[in-house]
Amino acid sequence: MSRVRFIGSRELHRDLPKVLDKLEDPASRFVVTIHGKPKAVMIGAEAFLHLLRGAIPEDRLLALQLGALVQGLESSAAEVQEDETVGAGSKG
């Protein structure tokens, strides 16, 4: 199961080496936000290669959630972040 974490641009700037280390895990995903709005998704190189080979169910879910956020259908990125953080704690 992919582990999605929302990270603000300032935190990303400060913690870039740690984030890059975490991206060594092919299941790790980061959604980069600016003022609480998603602007980018970061995945590791290995995870990117997996995406090119075939869709991963967890990535399809992330795409749906991001689509809703970008279109403003979710009330805030913080709510999704809380939901994803809870799900990130358990490994499947």
Side-chain angles (χ1 to χ4, degrees):
M1 174 176 272
S2 76
R3 293 174 293 197
V4 178
R5 178 157 183 262
F6 284 70
I7 185 169
S9 58
R10 289 182 186 172
E11 182 183 357
L12 175 63
H13 178 74
R14 183 186 68 225
D15 295 339
L16 185 59
K18 292 178 192 172
V19 170
L20 293 175
D21 284 343
K22 289 180 182 176
L23 288 175
E24 291 292 322
D25 178 355
S28 186
R29 307 283 187 266
F30 285 86
V31 176
V32 181
T33 62
I34 297 177
H35 303 297
K37 295 182 180 176
K39 296 296 179 181
V41 175
M42 292 179 62
I43 63 174
E46 190 69 29
F48 181 71
L49 292 173
H50 288 296
L51 280 175
L52 292 178
R53 292 182 192 127
I56 298 169
E58 292 84 7
D59 289 329
R60 286 195 299 262
L61 175 61
L62 176 58
L64 290 171
Q65 291 170 331
L66 286 174
L69 284 169
V70 169
Q71 294 175 15
L73 300 177
E74 294 285 333
S75 60
S76 72
E79 289 180 14
V80 174
Q81 179 180 2
E82 289 175 12
D83 291 344
E84 290 300 328
T85 301
V86 169
S90 61
K91 285 189 174 181

